[in-house]
Amino acid sequence: MHYLHGKRRERPQQTPGVSRGKQLAKTGLNGLIEALKLTKGASSACPPLQYAVEALLVVLEAFKKCSETAEEIEALLSRIELLNDLMNQAPPEDRCPQELKDRLVTLTSKFNEIAEDAKDTQSKPPILRLLNAAGYAGKTESWIKKLDRHINDFCLRGIVSTEIAVNTGFDGVNSRLDNVVPKRKYELNEVSGHSLIQNYCCDEDWTDSSMDVPVLGSLRPVIEALMHSASSVHVQCHRNTRLEILATLCSWLRPDDPRLAELPGGVVPALSDRPILWLHALAGSGNNINCIFRTIAYKLALRLPTFRKHLTKILETDPDLYSFNPTRQLEKLIVEPLEAARADATSNAPLPAHIAIVIDALDECTDNAAVSTILVSLAKYIGRFAPLKFLISSRPEVNISRGFLRRELDENTQALALNLIPEDITRRDISAFLQSRLAGIKLNFVLNASWPAEEQLKNLVDLSGLLFIFAVAAARYIEDEAEGDPDGRLTSLLNAGNAVAANRGTSEPRFSILDTLYIQVLKNAASKLGNTLKARLNLVLGTIVLAEQRLSPTALNALLDLPAGAVRGVLPFLSAVLTFPNGDDDPAPIGVIHLSFPNFLMDPTRCTDENFLVHPRSQHTVITSKCLKLMSEELKYDILGVASEPGHDCILNSEIPDLQMRASQHLPAALQYACKYWTRHLCQAEVDETLLIALEEFCASHLLHWLEVLSVLGCVDGAVEAAQSAQAYLNASTLQHNH
């Protein structure tokens, strides 16, 4: 059911001289019993549950008599409160869903098993046997743990069932995608130190807009991860640069294409028979590994009718495949329907001869395995991908390099290291880029025809040190319209860079001149801001670089609880390192032009000015607090205003025709972000008393409201995992603090 309503549990008063943890344990059992008594009253609509609750009350009374320790009580109390809230919304017995009745019967049988285990004599009924359990402290504690597990299972199954039902209401969510891919178009994108082909390259126009996508919605695709998503940031490289790299990529993908004659020779010979090309260099941006293959499957299904037909059959049989591990997802969502599509002789829409799948910035995926999980998965099915070819870009991180050393991948992968490209080619391209950008700046600011001097341009190319990102950031810094002094900016940049270059020894970090540019950008911004905005500069930057999802200026302002326009007031002075929309009404998000900037801000050996250094744990603490505050202020029962309408007191999300419109009206972007990601920030924060209090108050008053929002957003499947991760982190943090 869509509507869940919870009662606030008052936070116990602190007893002098007793730690907060012990106080909670001491008062938790009484609260648990009281909560369960409320549940007993609420469960009258379902007699099986009422009987089970009576048994549970007896167990708890026995436990109260025999045990002073209550570490498990708080966890069980949260389960009971959730059960209480659920049952408050339960319909009368004659309208109770059969699935719920079945689960209640199962829960009752589990309670009875515990009762049987506690018996003293065979003659006494289960309830009386439990009354005599006071002498068995150890066993009673084990019963409490079992009860906690059974109730958790009962509630979890209900949440999963609800989530599956909710998901069917999102039939049209993904219809907003632009399904048209330019035919036979190659585009090279270079800003993060590596290149990629933006569009799928095929033998024919294979876009199919006549698909039926309800079943595909069960894949849970990550739309933001798609190349042409509105939230995707890819700064175009300068025309006619990186042509040798482009030639290698295109020759690898389509060696017989006549258009290759228009390109120069490749930077290395293309091995077109290998289904994987690994492009590695400096940093970019990436995704959650659990989303990669299901998003690829979704995109393929939108474009390939035959593939979609066979994938749909698989999803109809097992709609929960989205939750499987990446290897299983690859097998069931891509390999099997692909093989079936190739073998489908009845199809009038055969697969194209060439389909390029781009996995950009694999190193930025949330994958801590010793060997990349994605690469292990690809290695397992390497011979079954045709006609797919994978272009993978990344930094050569250890777990990724190890993955490509696996025999299956080593024999089927072409490696292209951008840092090994001849220096004269890279220098030529950087020079061409800077000449073009500075010419545009000269025209825009009506500068002298001789600007910049030839030696200035050469000096700037030298300082770039073969790093495209330096050239890009330098050009943006020089043309900053908020400053309006490109000549002064160029001069100051060259002076600062030359000073660092003159003092740089062989042991000096490679990024030293780039870091000098970043420091100069930040100091210039601080000098132009008033005291109030200057104080907020670090908060805004820290949130931008640590946010799990890119936010618009308006959303970031709301998340950080800043005065209207505060974020917008900071951004114009950071145009050299950030991208942002021009107007307040533009929902486009803020982005960083290169991951080296966030890395710089969080590295004390690079960002040597404490005024700008971002301390990740402290910043995550601030973001967590802001998320909890925003949710506590904004979340409420029936946040979409559906229950107040006639006939909508008990309705599934899938039965609300204007669900998405309501969500956009009642769930601002900042609130959506807080609901989706507060646990991730919590698990990286410094846990202190203030944060614990805010967390407890949120859980007592708004936990079910949070779940309601997640169900609307289609994210409730991750709620249990998120809560468990947060609980584990808090337990570890508390243990460490006590020691």
Side-chain angles (χ1 to χ4, degrees), residues 177 180 247 272 286 326 456 598 611 665:
L177 290 177
V180 179
S272 59
Q456 286 181 309
N611 293 316
Q665 290 176 345

Side-chain angles (χ1 to χ4, degrees), residues 475-486:
R476 294 172 68 92
Y477 176 74
I478 293 167
E479 71 178 343
D480 185 2
E481 294 190 3
E483 180 75 9
D485 182 21

Side-chain angles (χ1 to χ4, degrees), residues 306-325:
T306 308
F307 177 89
R308 182 172 65 253
K309 178 178 72 173
H310 294 286
L311 176 61
T312 299
K313 293 178 181 178
I314 293 174
L315 291 175
E316 287 174 343
T317 303
D318 193 348
D320 297 329
L321 285 170
Y322 73 90
S323 63
F324 287 12
N325 63 61

Side-chain angles (χ1 to χ4, degrees), residues 8 106 108 149 220 266 301 315 323 346 362 449 467 489 491 513 518 524 555 560 625 637 672 676 681 719:
R8 179 183 178 87
T106 301
T108 301
R149 186 171 66 253
R220 306 285 200 280
L315 291 175
S323 63
T346 64
L362 180 61
L467 293 176
R489 283 287 184 98
T491 300
I513 296 181
Y518 287 154
N524 181 77
L560 297 179
S625 298
Y637 168 66
Q672 292 189 29
K676 289 194 288 186
H681 290 295

Side-chain angles (χ1 to χ4, degrees), residues 204 208 304-310 341 344-351:
E204 57 194 51
D208 176 41
L304 301 171
T306 308
F307 177 89
R308 182 172 65 253
K309 178 178 72 173
H310 294 286
D344 191 344
T346 64
S347 173
N348 57 4
L351 298 180

Side-chain angles (χ1 to χ4, degrees), residues 546-671:
L546 290 176
E548 296 286 339
Q549 174 183 311
R550 298 192 309 115
L551 297 166
S552 69
T554 302
L556 184 59
N557 216 78
L559 179 66
L560 297 179
D561 193 26
L562 294 174
V567 172
R568 174 68 64 182
V570 170
L571 294 178
F573 304 101
L574 298 170
S575 61
V577 291
L578 300 179
T579 61
F580 46 85
N582 294 322
D584 291 332
D585 296 332
D586 191 338
I590 304 168
V592 295
I593 64 169
H594 193 258
L595 195 63
S596 62
F597 180 59
N599 290 344
F600 159 79
L601 287 175
M602 293 183 286
D603 187 345
T605 65
R606 295 178 61 188
C607 184
T608 55
D609 191 325
E610 183 65 29
N611 293 316
F612 307 120
L613 182 64
V614 172
H615 300 276
R617 291 198 67 191
S618 298
Q619 187 68 34
H620 281 298
T621 302
V622 172
I623 299 175
T624 304
S625 298
K626 296 295 185 182
C627 288
L628 290 172
K629 182 176 186 295
L630 180 62
M631 291 189 295
S632 295
E633 291 175 349
E634 299 294 331
L635 293 182
K636 60 182 180 179
Y637 168 66
D638 186 28
I639 194 169
L640 300 188
V642 176
S644 59
E645 300 179 4
H648 285 179
D649 56 329
C650 185
I651 185 174
L652 296 174
N653 285 351
S654 58
E655 299 171 343
I656 305 174
D658 56 351
L659 180 65
Q660 291 305 306
M661 183 186 71
R662 288 178 182 268
S664 63
Q665 290 176 345
H666 298 282
L667 300 176
L671 181 59

Side-chain angles (χ1 to χ4, degrees), residues 39-340:
T39 304
K40 179 181 176 182
S43 63
S44 59
C46 297
L49 177 63
Q50 194 170 40
Y51 174 80
V53 169
E54 290 176 354
L56 181 57
L57 272 171
V58 175
V59 173
L60 293 178
E61 292 290 355
F63 182 67
K64 183 178 179 181
K65 295 176 183 178
C66 69
S67 179
E68 294 297 327
T69 61
E71 294 180 358
E72 299 85 7
I73 290 177
E74 277 297 304
L76 186 55
L77 177 54
S78 66
R79 303 276 190 265
I80 296 298
E81 288 182 334
L82 177 58
L83 193 61
N84 182 23
D85 292 325
L86 289 170
M87 296 315 302
N88 274 332
Q89 300 300 318
E93 184 179 7
D94 58 344
R95 292 173 52 199
C96 187
Q98 186 59 46
E99 192 273 342
L100 175 58
K101 290 181 180 179
D102 294 341
R103 287 192 293 114
L104 289 171
V105 170
T106 301
L107 182 62
T108 301
S109 68
K110 296 297 183 182
F111 287 165
N112 286 334
E113 289 177 8
I114 296 175
E116 289 294 333
D117 188 44
K119 66 183 179 181
D120 287 331
T121 66
Q122 291 296 326
S123 60
K124 295 180 180 179
I127 296 297
L128 293 180
R129 293 169 193 158
L130 287 173
L131 286 173
N132 296 325
Y136 305 102
K139 291 203 67 175
T140 308
E141 290 184 11
S142 71
W143 298 334
I144 291 292
K145 292 179 181 179
K146 289 180 181 179
L147 289 169
D148 175 66
R149 186 171 66 253
H150 294 325
I151 296 175
N152 178 53
D153 182 65
F154 171 82
C155 296
L156 176 60
R157 290 179 182 275
I159 291 172
V160 171
S161 298
T162 300
E163 193 275 335
I164 291 173
V166 165
N167 179 64
T168 62
F170 289 87
D171 295 349
V173 168
N174 297 309
S175 62
R176 298 170 295 172
L177 290 177
D178 179 8
N179 293 324
V180 179
V181 176
K183 180 180 179 180
R184 294 191 178 112
K185 180 180 179 183
Y186 291 103
E187 292 183 11
L188 185 68
N189 182 308
E190 212 307 319
V191 70
S192 60
H194 61 257
S195 306
L196 53 91
I197 299 176
Q198 276 196 323
N199 297 307
Y200 295 94
C201 305
C202 307
D203 290 328
E204 57 194 51
D205 187 351
W206 54 298
T207 299
D208 176 41
S209 59
S210 62
M211 73 289 293
D212 180 25
V213 298
V215 175
L216 299 185
S218 65
L219 289 172
R220 306 285 200 280
V222 180
I223 305 304
E224 294 82 7
L226 300 178
M227 190 67 67
H228 298 290
S229 167
S231 65
S232 178
V233 174
H234 291 104
V235 182
Q236 293 292 333
C237 69
H238 183 62
R239 184 179 179 83
N240 293 326
T241 62
R242 311 307 256 174
L243 294 179
E244 289 83 1
I245 299 172
L246 179 61
T248 297
L249 297 179
C250 294
S251 298
W252 165 76
L253 179 63
R254 298 188 63 185
D256 300 325
D257 196 302
R259 291 169 294 174
L260 290 173
E262 303 171 9
L263 296 172
V267 66
V268 294
L271 305 177
S272 59
D273 60 326
R274 300 195 173 187
I276 295 177
L277 189 149
W278 178 31
L279 190 71
H280 54 92
L282 297 180
S285 58
N287 308 298
N288 185 314
I289 62 167
N290 293 317
C291 305
I292 290 179
F293 291 135
R294 70 191 196 213
T295 302
I296 292 173
Y298 172 82
K299 199 67 174 178
L300 288 172
L302 288 181
R303 285 165 164 73
L304 301 171
T306 308
F307 177 89
R308 182 172 65 253
K309 178 178 72 173
H310 294 286
L311 176 61
T312 299
K313 293 178 181 178
I314 293 174
L315 291 175
E316 287 174 343
T317 303
D318 193 348
D320 297 329
L321 285 170
Y322 73 90
S323 63
F324 287 12
N325 63 61
T327 302
R328 184 68 167 165
Q329 285 187 29
L330 176 60
E331 177 191 19
K332 303 299 292 185
L333 300 179
I334 296 179
V335 172
E336 288 189 3
L338 199 62
E339 291 179 331

